[in-house]
Amino acid sequence: MLLHLCTWPEVEAYLNRSRGIILPIGSTEQHGPTGLIGTDAICAEAIAKGVGEAINAIVCPTINVGMALHHTAFPGTISLRPTTLIQLIRDYITCLAKAGFIKFFFINGHGGNIATLKAAFAETYAHLADLNIANASQVQCQVGNWFMCGSVYKLAKELYGNQEGSHATPSEVALTQYLYPEAIKQAPLADPVSAEHKIYGAADFRRRYPDGRMGSNPALATPEHGKQFYELAVKELSNAYLEFLNADAKS
């Protein structure tokens, strides 16, 4: 169930049986010479839709732009500042909480969003309490990072070993190849750059990682691998969402 394809009476009826909702969030940023700029949003959106279909949950429109300031020295990257993303998340949740939703499950495709999302949740809990919104004390948020699912991580290591790297990885490139086979890119790749450097500003990032990759070899990706990653992530995150949704009922 996609929120933007629902009517308000359908959402009202949904709230009579469930007060949970899925929010995909990604990024619009460089992913090396062969990775699509929309990779993080594409992956999060597809997996969130798969989870929604599997468990009959509403899925919000994808938040396509995240916190990717360190990638902005590469053309095409669009980023929000952490403070902007925090306000965006707070406003999303506030509107939905007023409608009656209390369980917010973010399916995330970008590691750079994690710290900001956690800060946004803390900001939102306080904001809802200050507004005296009904059920404010029941609102809970959780992040499911598809690329950190145990089954996904295990398969990536089996397929790619140390060449998985930590950005523009073959696992995420494979997933986009499965989803958009018509957009598979080819380009010469230099030897992988070490992924050991810390991340600072955008200019420093491009100097240390000149083609955008961080220790990865996306040439190893295949659409067949991507299908496996998709199925594993949907299964694991479906279970995680249901556990999150039902946690209080068990206690």
Side-chain angles (χ1 to χ4, degrees), residues 95-152:
C95 290
L96 293 167
K98 286 180 177 179
F101 290 96
I102 60 172
K103 293 275 192 168
F104 299 88
F105 191 76
F106 286 76
I107 292 184
N108 177 42
H110 174 48
N113 287 338
I114 296 173
T116 304
L117 278 169
K118 290 181 178 179
F121 297 162
E123 179 89 14
T124 300
Y125 298 144
H127 179 67
L128 295 178
D130 290 344
L131 293 177
N132 292 317
I133 289 178
N135 301 316
S137 63
Q138 294 179 269
V139 169
Q140 297 177 356
C141 305
Q142 184 168 308
V143 180
N145 304 297
W146 81 265
F147 50 90
M148 295 176 67
C149 289
S151 56
V152 169

Short mmCIF file of all heavy atoms in Angstrom, two decimals, residues 95-152:
data_model
loop_
_atom_site.label_atom_id
_atom_site.label_comp_id
_atom_site.label_asym_id
_atom_site.label_seq_id
_atom_site.Cartn_x
_atom_site.Cartn_y
_atom_site.Cartn_z
N CYS A 95 3.00 15.26 11.37
CA CYS A 95 1.76 15.17 10.59
C CYS A 95 1.12 13.80 10.72
O CYS A 95 -0.10 13.68 10.92
CB CYS A 95 2.05 15.47 9.12
SG CYS A 95 2.47 17.19 8.77
N LEU A 96 1.94 12.77 10.60
CA LEU A 96 1.42 11.41 10.66
C LEU A 96 0.96 11.03 12.06
O LEU A 96 -0.01 10.29 12.23
CB LEU A 96 2.48 10.43 10.14
CG LEU A 96 2.80 10.59 8.64
CD1 LEU A 96 4.07 9.83 8.30
CD2 LEU A 96 1.63 10.09 7.79
N ALA A 97 1.66 11.54 13.07
CA ALA A 97 1.27 11.26 14.46
C ALA A 97 -0.07 11.92 14.78
O ALA A 97 -0.90 11.35 15.49
CB ALA A 97 2.35 11.75 15.42
N LYS A 98 -0.30 13.10 14.25
CA LYS A 98 -1.59 13.77 14.45
C LYS A 98 -2.73 12.95 13.86
O LYS A 98 -3.85 12.97 14.37
CB LYS A 98 -1.57 15.16 13.82
CG LYS A 98 -0.75 16.18 14.60
CD LYS A 98 -0.77 17.54 13.90
CE LYS A 98 -0.02 18.58 14.69
NZ LYS A 98 -0.01 19.91 14.01
N ALA A 99 -2.43 12.22 12.79
CA ALA A 99 -3.44 11.38 12.15
C ALA A 99 -3.70 10.10 12.93
O ALA A 99 -4.72 9.44 12.71
CB ALA A 99 -3.01 11.04 10.72
N GLY A 100 -2.75 9.71 13.79
CA GLY A 100 -2.94 8.50 14.60
C GLY A 100 -1.85 7.47 14.49
O GLY A 100 -1.87 6.46 15.20
N PHE A 101 -0.86 7.67 13.64
CA PHE A 101 0.26 6.73 13.54
C PHE A 101 1.17 6.88 14.76
O PHE A 101 1.39 7.99 15.25
CB PHE A 101 1.08 6.97 12.27
CG PHE A 101 0.36 6.60 11.00
CD1 PHE A 101 -0.31 7.56 10.26
CD2 PHE A 101 0.37 5.28 10.55
CE1 PHE A 101 -0.97 7.22 9.08
CE2 PHE A 101 -0.30 4.93 9.38
CZ PHE A 101 -0.97 5.91 8.65
N ILE A 102 1.69 5.76 15.25
CA ILE A 102 2.60 5.83 16.40
C ILE A 102 3.89 5.04 16.19
O ILE A 102 4.86 5.23 16.92
CB ILE A 102 1.92 5.35 17.70
CG1 ILE A 102 1.45 3.91 17.57
CG2 ILE A 102 0.78 6.27 18.08
CD1 ILE A 102 0.94 3.31 18.89
N LYS A 103 3.92 4.15 15.19
CA LYS A 103 5.10 3.33 14.94
C LYS A 103 5.68 3.70 13.57
O LYS A 103 5.06 3.47 12.54
CB LYS A 103 4.74 1.84 14.96
CG LYS A 103 4.31 1.31 16.33
CD LYS A 103 5.52 0.92 17.17
CE LYS A 103 5.10 0.12 18.39
NZ LYS A 103 6.24 -0.51 19.06
N PHE A 104 6.89 4.25 13.59
CA PHE A 104 7.50 4.75 12.37
C PHE A 104 8.78 3.96 12.09
O PHE A 104 9.76 4.05 12.83
CB PHE A 104 7.81 6.24 12.52
CG PHE A 104 6.59 7.08 12.75
CD1 PHE A 104 6.11 7.30 14.05
CD2 PHE A 104 5.89 7.62 11.69
CE1 PHE A 104 4.98 8.05 14.27
CE2 PHE A 104 4.75 8.37 11.90
CZ PHE A 104 4.29 8.59 13.18
N PHE A 105 8.73 3.19 11.01
CA PHE A 105 9.84 2.29 10.66
C PHE A 105 10.51 2.83 9.40
O PHE A 105 9.95 2.75 8.30
CB PHE A 105 9.33 0.88 10.44
CG PHE A 105 10.41 -0.17 10.33
CD1 PHE A 105 11.08 -0.61 11.45
CD2 PHE A 105 10.74 -0.71 9.09
CE1 PHE A 105 12.07 -1.59 11.35
CE2 PHE A 105 11.72 -1.69 8.99
CZ PHE A 105 12.39 -2.12 10.12
N PHE A 106 11.70 3.38 9.57
CA PHE A 106 12.45 3.94 8.45
C PHE A 106 13.33 2.86 7.82
O PHE A 106 14.15 2.25 8.52
CB PHE A 106 13.32 5.10 8.92
CG PHE A 106 12.56 6.36 9.22
CD1 PHE A 106 11.81 6.48 10.39
CD2 PHE A 106 12.57 7.43 8.34
CE1 PHE A 106 11.10 7.64 10.67
CE2 PHE A 106 11.87 8.59 8.61
CZ PHE A 106 11.13 8.70 9.78
N ILE A 107 13.16 2.63 6.53
CA ILE A 107 14.05 1.73 5.80
C ILE A 107 15.06 2.61 5.09
O ILE A 107 14.72 3.37 4.17
CB ILE A 107 13.26 0.83 4.83
CG1 ILE A 107 12.40 -0.14 5.65
CG2 ILE A 107 14.22 0.08 3.90
CD1 ILE A 107 11.63 -1.16 4.83
N ASN A 108 16.30 2.52 5.53
CA ASN A 108 17.34 3.46 5.13
C ASN A 108 18.35 2.82 4.18
O ASN A 108 18.76 1.69 4.37
CB ASN A 108 18.06 3.97 6.39
CG ASN A 108 19.20 4.90 6.06
OD1 ASN A 108 19.08 5.76 5.19
ND2 ASN A 108 20.30 4.75 6.75
N GLY A 109 18.74 3.61 3.16
CA GLY A 109 19.71 3.12 2.20
C GLY A 109 21.03 3.84 2.23
O GLY A 109 21.89 3.59 1.37
N HIS A 110 21.25 4.75 3.20
CA HIS A 110 22.46 5.57 3.22
C HIS A 110 23.04 5.66 4.62
O HIS A 110 22.37 6.14 5.55
CB HIS A 110 22.13 6.97 2.69
CG HIS A 110 23.23 7.96 2.79
ND1 HIS A 110 24.51 7.70 2.37
CD2 HIS A 110 23.24 9.24 3.27
CE1 HIS A 110 25.27 8.76 2.57
NE2 HIS A 110 24.52 9.70 3.11
N GLY A 111 24.28 5.20 4.77
CA GLY A 111 24.92 5.23 6.07
C GLY A 111 25.04 6.62 6.65
O GLY A 111 24.99 6.81 7.87
N GLY A 112 25.20 7.63 5.79
CA GLY A 112 25.32 9.01 6.26
C GLY A 112 24.07 9.56 6.90
O GLY A 112 24.12 10.63 7.53
N ASN A 113 22.94 8.88 6.75
CA ASN A 113 21.69 9.33 7.37
C ASN A 113 21.54 8.87 8.82
O ASN A 113 20.71 9.42 9.55
CB ASN A 113 20.48 8.79 6.60
CG ASN A 113 20.27 9.47 5.26
OD1 ASN A 113 20.73 10.58 5.02
ND2 ASN A 113 19.58 8.78 4.35
N ILE A 114 22.28 7.86 9.22
CA ILE A 114 21.99 7.18 10.49
C ILE A 114 22.06 8.11 11.69
O ILE A 114 21.12 8.19 12.50
CB ILE A 114 22.92 5.97 10.67
CG1 ILE A 114 22.66 4.94 9.57
CG2 ILE A 114 22.71 5.34 12.05
CD1 ILE A 114 23.65 3.78 9.56
N ALA A 115 23.16 8.85 11.83
CA ALA A 115 23.32 9.73 12.99
C ALA A 115 22.24 10.81 13.01
O ALA A 115 21.67 11.12 14.07
CB ALA A 115 24.71 10.36 12.99
N THR A 116 21.95 11.37 11.84
CA THR A 116 20.94 12.43 11.77
C THR A 116 19.55 11.89 12.08
O THR A 116 18.74 12.56 12.74
CB THR A 116 20.96 13.10 10.38
OG1 THR A 116 22.29 13.59 10.13
CG2 THR A 116 20.00 14.26 10.32
N LEU A 117 19.24 10.69 11.61
CA LEU A 117 17.94 10.10 11.92
C LEU A 117 17.77 9.91 13.42
O LEU A 117 16.70 10.23 13.98
CB LEU A 117 17.79 8.75 11.20
CG LEU A 117 17.36 8.80 9.74
CD1 LEU A 117 17.52 7.44 9.09
CD2 LEU A 117 15.91 9.27 9.63
N LYS A 118 18.79 9.41 14.08
CA LYS A 118 18.69 9.20 15.53
C LYS A 118 18.49 10.52 16.26
O LYS A 118 17.71 10.61 17.22
CB LYS A 118 19.93 8.48 16.03
CG LYS A 118 20.01 7.03 15.56
CD LYS A 118 21.24 6.32 16.09
CE LYS A 118 21.27 4.86 15.64
NZ LYS A 118 22.49 4.16 16.12
N ALA A 119 19.18 11.57 15.80
CA ALA A 119 19.00 12.89 16.40
C ALA A 119 17.59 13.40 16.12
O ALA A 119 16.94 14.02 16.98
CB ALA A 119 20.04 13.87 15.85
N ALA A 120 17.09 13.14 14.91
CA ALA A 120 15.74 13.58 14.55
C ALA A 120 14.68 12.91 15.42
O ALA A 120 13.68 13.54 15.79
CB ALA A 120 15.48 13.28 13.07
N PHE A 121 14.89 11.66 15.74
CA PHE A 121 13.92 10.96 16.58
C PHE A 121 13.85 11.60 17.96
O PHE A 121 12.76 11.84 18.50
CB PHE A 121 14.29 9.48 16.71
CG PHE A 121 14.27 8.72 15.41
CD1 PHE A 121 14.93 7.50 15.30
CD2 PHE A 121 13.60 9.21 14.30
CE1 PHE A 121 14.91 6.79 14.11
CE2 PHE A 121 13.57 8.50 13.10
CZ PHE A 121 14.24 7.28 13.01
N ALA A 122 15.01 11.90 18.54
CA ALA A 122 15.03 12.53 19.86
C ALA A 122 14.35 13.90 19.82
O ALA A 122 13.58 14.27 20.72
CB ALA A 122 16.48 12.68 20.35
N GLU A 123 14.64 14.66 18.76
CA GLU A 123 14.01 15.98 18.58
C GLU A 123 12.49 15.84 18.46
O GLU A 123 11.73 16.63 19.03
CB GLU A 123 14.58 16.62 17.32
CG GLU A 123 14.02 17.98 16.97
CD GLU A 123 14.78 19.12 17.61
OE1 GLU A 123 15.91 18.89 18.10
OE2 GLU A 123 14.23 20.23 17.63
N THR A 124 12.06 14.82 17.72
CA THR A 124 10.63 14.64 17.47
C THR A 124 9.87 14.24 18.72
O THR A 124 8.77 14.74 18.98
CB THR A 124 10.43 13.59 16.37
OG1 THR A 124 11.08 14.03 15.17
CG2 THR A 124 8.96 13.37 16.08
N TYR A 125 10.45 13.33 19.52
CA TYR A 125 9.77 12.93 20.75
C TYR A 125 9.51 14.16 21.63
O TYR A 125 8.40 14.32 22.18
CB TYR A 125 10.62 11.91 21.52
CG TYR A 125 10.88 10.61 20.80
CD1 TYR A 125 12.10 9.96 20.92
CD2 TYR A 125 9.90 10.03 19.99
CE1 TYR A 125 12.35 8.76 20.28
CE2 TYR A 125 10.14 8.83 19.33
CZ TYR A 125 11.38 8.20 19.49
OH TYR A 125 11.63 7.01 18.83
N ALA A 126 10.51 15.01 21.76
CA ALA A 126 10.36 16.21 22.58
C ALA A 126 9.34 17.17 21.96
O ALA A 126 8.53 17.78 22.67
CB ALA A 126 11.71 16.90 22.75
N HIS A 127 9.39 17.31 20.65
CA HIS A 127 8.48 18.22 19.95
C HIS A 127 7.04 17.78 20.12
O HIS A 127 6.15 18.61 20.40
CB HIS A 127 8.85 18.25 18.46
CG HIS A 127 7.99 19.14 17.62
ND1 HIS A 127 7.97 20.51 17.74
CD2 HIS A 127 7.11 18.84 16.63
CE1 HIS A 127 7.12 21.02 16.88
NE2 HIS A 127 6.58 20.03 16.19
N LEU A 128 6.77 16.49 19.97
CA LEU A 128 5.40 15.99 20.11
C LEU A 128 4.89 16.18 21.53
O LEU A 128 3.72 16.51 21.75
CB LEU A 128 5.34 14.51 19.72
CG LEU A 128 5.64 14.18 18.26
CD1 LEU A 128 5.60 12.67 18.04
CD2 LEU A 128 4.66 14.87 17.32
N ALA A 129 5.77 15.97 22.50
CA ALA A 129 5.38 16.17 23.89
C ALA A 129 5.05 17.63 24.16
O ALA A 129 4.07 17.95 24.85
CB ALA A 129 6.49 15.69 24.82
N ASP A 130 5.85 18.54 23.60
CA ASP A 130 5.61 19.97 23.79
C ASP A 130 4.28 20.40 23.17
O ASP A 130 3.62 21.31 23.67
CB ASP A 130 6.75 20.79 23.17
CG ASP A 130 8.06 20.66 23.95
OD1 ASP A 130 8.01 20.22 25.11
OD2 ASP A 130 9.11 21.02 23.38
N LEU A 131 3.90 19.74 22.08
CA LEU A 131 2.64 20.07 21.41
C LEU A 131 1.43 19.42 22.09
O LEU A 131 0.29 19.71 21.73
CB LEU A 131 2.68 19.61 19.95
CG LEU A 131 3.65 20.34 19.02
CD1 LEU A 131 3.61 19.71 17.63
CD2 LEU A 131 3.33 21.82 18.94
N ASN A 132 1.68 18.54 23.05
CA ASN A 132 0.61 17.81 23.74
C ASN A 132 -0.25 17.01 22.78
O ASN A 132 -1.47 16.92 22.93
CB ASN A 132 -0.27 18.77 24.57
CG ASN A 132 0.47 19.35 25.74
OD1 ASN A 132 1.20 18.64 26.44
ND2 ASN A 132 0.31 20.64 25.96
N ILE A 133 0.39 16.45 21.74
CA ILE A 133 -0.34 15.63 20.77
C ILE A 133 -0.79 14.34 21.45
O ILE A 133 -0.04 13.71 22.19
CB ILE A 133 0.56 15.32 19.56
CG1 ILE A 133 0.75 16.59 18.73
CG2 ILE A 133 -0.03 14.21 18.69
CD1 ILE A 133 1.65 16.42 17.54
N ALA A 134 -2.03 13.96 21.17
CA ALA A 134 -2.54 12.72 21.75
C ALA A 134 -1.65 11.55 21.35
O ALA A 134 -1.19 11.47 20.21
CB ALA A 134 -3.97 12.48 21.25
N ASN A 135 -1.40 10.69 22.30
CA ASN A 135 -0.56 9.50 22.09
C ASN A 135 0.91 9.84 21.82
O ASN A 135 1.66 8.99 21.32
CB ASN A 135 -1.09 8.64 20.93
CG ASN A 135 -2.51 8.17 21.17
OD1 ASN A 135 -2.84 7.74 22.27
ND2 ASN A 135 -3.36 8.26 20.16
N ALA A 136 1.33 11.06 22.14
CA ALA A 136 2.73 11.44 21.91
C ALA A 136 3.69 10.50 22.62
O ALA A 136 4.75 10.15 22.09
CB ALA A 136 2.97 12.87 22.36
N SER A 137 3.31 10.05 23.81
CA SER A 137 4.20 9.18 24.58
C SER A 137 4.31 7.79 23.98
O SER A 137 5.19 7.01 24.35
CB SER A 137 3.72 9.08 26.02
OG SER A 137 2.43 8.48 26.08
N GLN A 138 3.40 7.45 23.05
CA GLN A 138 3.43 6.13 22.42
C GLN A 138 4.22 6.12 21.11
O GLN A 138 4.49 5.04 20.57
CB GLN A 138 2.00 5.66 22.13
CG GLN A 138 1.17 5.40 23.36
CD GLN A 138 -0.23 4.95 22.97
OE1 GLN A 138 -1.14 5.77 22.82
NE2 GLN A 138 -0.41 3.66 22.80
N VAL A 139 4.58 7.28 20.61
CA VAL A 139 5.29 7.35 19.33
C VAL A 139 6.69 6.76 19.47
O VAL A 139 7.44 7.09 20.39
CB VAL A 139 5.37 8.80 18.83
CG1 VAL A 139 6.33 8.92 17.64
CG2 VAL A 139 4.00 9.31 18.45
N GLN A 140 7.00 5.85 18.55
CA GLN A 140 8.32 5.20 18.52
C GLN A 140 8.84 5.16 17.09
O GLN A 140 8.07 4.96 16.15
CB GLN A 140 8.22 3.78 19.08
CG GLN A 140 7.81 3.70 20.53
CD GLN A 140 7.66 2.26 21.02
OE1 GLN A 140 7.80 1.32 20.24
NE2 GLN A 140 7.38 2.09 22.28
N CYS A 141 10.14 5.37 16.96
CA CYS A 141 10.79 5.35 15.65
C CYS A 141 11.94 4.35 15.65
O CYS A 141 12.63 4.19 16.66
CB CYS A 141 11.34 6.73 15.30
SG CYS A 141 10.14 8.07 15.38
N GLN A 142 12.12 3.71 14.53
CA GLN A 142 13.21 2.74 14.40
C GLN A 142 13.76 2.81 12.98
O GLN A 142 13.04 3.07 12.03
CB GLN A 142 12.70 1.33 14.70
CG GLN A 142 13.79 0.25 14.68
CD GLN A 142 13.30 -1.06 15.26
OE1 GLN A 142 12.77 -1.09 16.37
NE2 GLN A 142 13.46 -2.14 14.51
N VAL A 143 15.08 2.54 12.87
CA VAL A 143 15.74 2.52 11.57
C VAL A 143 16.12 1.09 11.22
O VAL A 143 16.73 0.38 12.03
CB VAL A 143 17.01 3.39 11.56
CG1 VAL A 143 17.67 3.35 10.18
CG2 VAL A 143 16.69 4.81 11.95
N GLY A 144 15.79 0.68 10.00
CA GLY A 144 16.27 -0.58 9.46
C GLY A 144 17.16 -0.28 8.26
O GLY A 144 16.68 0.17 7.22
N ASN A 145 18.46 -0.46 8.41
CA ASN A 145 19.41 -0.21 7.33
C ASN A 145 19.55 -1.48 6.50
O ASN A 145 20.10 -2.47 6.98
CB ASN A 145 20.77 0.20 7.91
CG ASN A 145 20.67 1.40 8.83
OD1 ASN A 145 20.30 2.49 8.42
ND2 ASN A 145 20.99 1.19 10.10
N TRP A 146 19.04 -1.47 5.28
CA TRP A 146 18.99 -2.72 4.51
C TRP A 146 20.37 -3.31 4.32
O TRP A 146 20.53 -4.54 4.36
CB TRP A 146 18.28 -2.49 3.17
CG TRP A 146 19.14 -1.89 2.09
CD1 TRP A 146 19.24 -0.57 1.77
CD2 TRP A 146 20.02 -2.59 1.20
NE1 TRP A 146 20.13 -0.39 0.74
CE2 TRP A 146 20.62 -1.63 0.37
CE3 TRP A 146 20.35 -3.93 1.03
CZ2 TRP A 146 21.55 -1.95 -0.62
CZ3 TRP A 146 21.27 -4.26 0.04
CH2 TRP A 146 21.86 -3.29 -0.77
N PHE A 147 21.37 -2.48 4.13
CA PHE A 147 22.73 -2.95 3.86
C PHE A 147 23.41 -3.53 5.09
O PHE A 147 24.46 -4.16 5.00
CB PHE A 147 23.58 -1.81 3.29
CG PHE A 147 23.51 -0.54 4.11
CD1 PHE A 147 24.40 -0.31 5.13
CD2 PHE A 147 22.54 0.40 3.85
CE1 PHE A 147 24.33 0.85 5.89
CE2 PHE A 147 22.45 1.58 4.59
CZ PHE A 147 23.35 1.80 5.62
N MET A 148 22.79 -3.33 6.26
CA MET A 148 23.33 -3.88 7.50
C MET A 148 22.56 -5.11 7.97
O MET A 148 22.87 -5.65 9.04
CB MET A 148 23.35 -2.81 8.60
CG MET A 148 24.29 -1.65 8.30
SD MET A 148 24.25 -0.31 9.52
CE MET A 148 24.95 -1.14 10.95
N CYS A 149 21.57 -5.54 7.21
CA CYS A 149 20.88 -6.79 7.55
C CYS A 149 21.90 -7.93 7.61
O CYS A 149 22.78 -8.02 6.74
CB CYS A 149 19.83 -7.12 6.49
SG CYS A 149 18.39 -6.05 6.49
N GLY A 150 21.77 -8.79 8.60
CA GLY A 150 22.75 -9.86 8.77
C GLY A 150 22.87 -10.75 7.55
O GLY A 150 23.98 -11.10 7.13
N SER A 151 21.74 -11.09 6.94
CA SER A 151 21.76 -11.97 5.78
C SER A 151 22.39 -11.29 4.57
O SER A 151 23.09 -11.92 3.77
CB SER A 151 20.34 -12.42 5.44
OG SER A 151 19.49 -11.30 5.24
N VAL A 152 22.14 -9.99 4.42
CA VAL A 152 22.73 -9.22 3.31
C VAL A 152 24.24 -9.11 3.49
O VAL A 152 25.01 -9.31 2.54
CB VAL A 152 22.09 -7.82 3.23
CG1 VAL A 152 22.87 -6.91 2.29
CG2 VAL A 152 20.63 -7.93 2.81
#
